[in-house]
């Protein structure tokens, strides 16, 4: 079956544009204050899996879409503003069509019951950690991610809730700038997260129970 990605509301584009403008303005403000801005950008493969014959509704929270991490100097001053919200969304936009026969992007959770989805997925980023070689003395840029994955029924009932962590590393000798090294480490961590999520999804006990019931 061909994969489809459906936007549940035409307001998605408008809301995304507003959030983008806000993020750009925030980054510009931080740069004006002497903080170095890094916007994470990467490409993520769609997994070659046997897709679950279900329409998954995915809800990207404002916290995820606007996620920014601030790295501080040893003196407590803001040093780097790392924006990664958009690339988190792009990650799941890439991997979900390889896992489900249909994907519906939801503006809010209230739309789930009207959009005809079989299940609702909500990815939440809980932690972003950065290791800079000038501080760790390890000769590499490192990024650790911690995600809380949630699955709900279309009417909001709990199905599953689990934690996933991932790691990305970029050796300093391969990159001439902090920006490039941090970007590569972050993209590596996101790819690791995507692989862990797509391959381990059906192994989560609550997910396995839902699949068993749904596929009857």
């Amino acid at each position: 079956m061909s994969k489809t990605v459906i936007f549940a509301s035409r307001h998605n584009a408008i809301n995304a544009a507003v959030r983008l403008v806000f993020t750009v303005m925030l980054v510009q403000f931080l740069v004006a204050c002497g903080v170095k801005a890094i916007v994470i950008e990467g490409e993520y493969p769609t997994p070659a899996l046997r897709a679950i014959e279900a329409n998954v509704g995915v809800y990207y929270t404002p916290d995820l879409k606007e996620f920014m991490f601030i790295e501080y100097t040893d003196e407590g001053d803001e040093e780097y503003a790392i924006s990664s919200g958009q690339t988190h969304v792009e990650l799941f936009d890439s991997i979900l069509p390889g896992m489900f026969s249909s994907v519906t992007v939801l503006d809010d959770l209230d739309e789930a019951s009207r959009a005809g989805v079989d299940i609702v997925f909500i990815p939440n980023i809980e932690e972003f950690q950065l290791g800079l070689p000038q501080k760790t003395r390890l000769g590499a840029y490192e990024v650790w991610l911690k995600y809380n994955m949630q699955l709900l029924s279309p009417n909001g009932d709990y199905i599953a809730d689990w934690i996933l962590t991932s790691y990305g590393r970029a050796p300093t000798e391969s990159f001439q700038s902090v920006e490039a090294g941090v970007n590569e480490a972050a993209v590596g961590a996101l790819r690791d997260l995507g692989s862990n999520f797509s391959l381990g999804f059906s192994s989560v006990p609550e997910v396995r129970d839902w699949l068993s019931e749904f596929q009857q």
Side-chain angles (χ1 to χ4, degrees), residues 114-133:
R114 304 190 301 269
V117 301
D118 300 304
I119 195 170
V120 177
F121 170 58
I122 309 171
N124 301 285
I125 182 167
E126 291 202 341
E127 195 169 340
F128 184 108
Q129 293 186 23
L130 175 65
L132 295 174

Side-chain angles (χ1 to χ4, degrees), residues 135-212:
K135 295 182 179 181
T136 64
R137 310 299 181 190
L138 295 178
Y141 300 94
E142 298 175 292
V143 169
W144 294 264
L145 296 176
K146 181 180 178 181
Y147 255 85
N148 174 237
M149 307 296 191
Q150 292 182 308
L151 285 180
L152 305 176
S153 71
N155 61 9
D157 292 336
Y158 166 89
I159 293 177
D161 190 335
W162 72 104
I163 298 295
L164 274 182
T165 58
S166 63
Y167 171 74
R169 186 178 189 273
T172 53
E173 61 265 22
S174 300
F175 300 93
Q176 296 182 349
S177 68
V178 173
E179 290 81 0
V182 170
N183 189 83
E184 184 67 16
V187 170
L190 283 160
R191 288 174 177 166
D192 184 42
L193 180 80
S195 177
N196 293 339
F197 174 69
S198 59
L199 295 177
F201 179 77
S202 299
S203 300
V204 177
E206 295 91 341
V207 174
R208 193 166 55 239
D209 292 343
W210 173 79
L211 284 170
S212 177

Side-chain angles (χ1 to χ4, degrees), residues 56-76:
V56 60
V58 56
Y59 173 58
Y60 299 123
T61 67
D63 286 344
L64 178 69
K65 290 184 285 190
E66 300 162 11
F67 186 80
M68 179 181 292
F69 173 81
I70 304 295
E71 174 72 10
Y72 294 87
T73 65
D74 292 337
E75 291 74 31

